[in-house]
Amino acid sequence: MDIEDTPVLDNHMHLDPIEGQNIDAVEDFESVGGTHLLVLNKPSWHLFDPASDEATFEEVFELTIEAAADASEVLPGRAWPVLGVHPGLISQLVDEGYTAAQARDIMQAGLDVAAEYVADGPALAIKSGRPHYDVSEDVWEASNAVMRHAFDLASEVGCAVQLHTEGSEGLTEITEWAQDEGLPPEQVVKHYSGGRLAGPIKSVIAEKDELEIAAELDEPFLMETDFIDDPDRPGAVLGPKTVPRRVRWMLEEGWEDAVRRAHVETPARVYGIDTEATLGR
Ligand SMILES: [Zn+2]
């Protein structure tokens, strides 16, 4: 099998239509065999003051929806927006003088808006999580409450949640919380995962060592770059060509089954998307 015979999905890429490479990054991805993208909104404080009013979340989300629509124009497959609130926002808000509880309410309100975009059509999934760095007890509790709210919303509108969390190989406590809120564990995705993870579905960062682990385990997984599209941090993360290049390498290694798992089966199971039917090249 060769890369032209398979869909190639990057499960987590940011596009910044204002300051970033935006469509050039999508063209780079496509030029080496990429076909489908999940486009994440940038952490909202990059573009707007998140605390000024609730409409700012909408502005950020509208930009991402537009970026995904533009990306779909150049892809042989398509792109879908994933909208949410970066868990690091809580620290920004607390630094600005909000209490943890006030920050929680602002972030939950942002997730409510994201869920409306899922219910009304354009968005595929919600993004949430909790800080990956040490925080105070009240910020940690507030963050867990925000994440549980995301699970509740996702179960209501019937979508998956992508999580940003601390690095870990075991997050079954989180999938139990999701289940408590009515969301099946296989609709919980840990973004920026290593190759081994108990609990959520892993979205493995496209590094060879981690992909090798994931390929050899008989478990669902996705692949991503977390391309940040930030002109101030060139090379801070993997570039937009990385997932297709790694797929090429995996096919050379003979891991056809793993490629199918990451680019056809797991996307269908987690998001209900059909990367084969939506591929028209
Ligand atoms: Zn990201």
Side-chain angles (χ1 to χ4, degrees):
M1 187 162 108
D2 146 325
I3 194 163
E4 275 77 45
D5 304 321
T6 178
V8 175
L9 167 74
D10 188 327
N11 184 59
H12 188 109
M13 188 187 277
H14 300 267
L15 293 175
D16 180 348
I18 294 176
E19 293 186 317
Q21 299 174 38
N22 197 33
I23 212 70
D24 291 345
V26 179
E27 282 169 355
D28 281 353
F29 171 72
E30 190 274 336
S31 71
V32 289
T35 63
H36 293 77
L37 280 179
L38 298 197
V39 181
L40 279 287
N41 61 276
K42 300 248 294 194
S44 28
W45 63 85
H46 280 200
L47 294 170
F48 297 102
D49 171 13
S52 60
D53 62 49
E54 202 182 301
T56 59
F57 282 112
E58 274 166 37
E59 286 177 70
V60 176
F61 295 162
E62 290 286 348
L63 276 175
T64 304
I65 289 165
E66 212 180 291
D70 291 346
S72 289
E73 299 280 308
V74 303
L75 292 171
R78 60 162 293 187
W80 290 269
V82 174
L83 305 178
V85 180
H86 193 285
L89 178 60
I90 197 160
S91 303
Q92 311 264 330
L93 292 171
V94 167
D95 285 350
E96 283 173 35
Y98 291 90
T99 65
Q102 287 168 329
R104 176 200 64 209
D105 292 348
I106 291 170
M107 293 169 74
Q108 290 183 338
L111 290 171
D112 291 345
V113 178
E116 281 168 31
Y117 281 103
V118 174
D120 295 343
L124 181 67
I126 295 174
K127 153 98 183 268
S128 183
R130 63 186 182 190
H132 62 269
Y133 46 87
D134 279 337
V135 292
S136 65
E137 188 75 30
D138 56 336
V139 167
W140 187 247
E141 271 173 31
S143 298
N144 282 325
V146 170
M147 184 166 59
R148 293 184 73 134
H149 185 65
F151 295 150
D152 181 33
L153 289 168
S155 94
E156 235 172 78
V157 300
C159 74
V161 177
Q162 278 200 17
L163 292 179
H164 170 110
T165 70
E166 72 277 18
S168 176
E169 292 190 351
L171 292 174
T172 48
E173 183 191 41
I174 287 182
T175 39
E176 280 162 20
W177 292 347
Q179 263 175 309
D180 291 345
E181 302 295 336
L183 189 69
E186 59 182 28
Q187 289 197 288
V188 181
V189 177
K190 180 183 180 338
H191 126 77
Y192 213 98
S193 178
R196 194 175 283 109
L197 176 65
I201 302 284
K202 55 210 170 191
S203 180
V204 179
I205 191 72
E207 285 167 357
K208 287 185 176 179
D209 310 0
E210 301 301 336
L211 290 173
E212 182 164 2
I213 295 167
E216 287 179 351
L217 289 168
D218 189 23
E219 294 169 359
F221 74 104
L222 297 153
M223 288 168 60
E224 67 165 69
T225 50
D226 195 19
F227 176 67
I228 193 103
D229 202 13
D230 185 340
D232 296 335
R233 294 171 63 207
V237 287
L238 300 175
K241 292 181 179 173
T242 313
V243 165
R245 283 183 171 154
R246 294 294 182 261
V247 167
R248 230 173 263 262
W249 166 74
M250 289 165 76
L251 293 173
E252 282 161 21
E253 297 291 319
W255 294 329
E256 267 116 14
D257 291 352
V259 169
R260 193 169 169 80
R261 233 187 302 145
H263 298 275
V264 179
E265 293 166 4
T266 307
R269 192 160 154 181
V270 172
Y271 303 111
I273 58 177
D274 187 335
T275 54
E276 289 179 311
T278 49
L279 182 55
R281 50 183 161 205

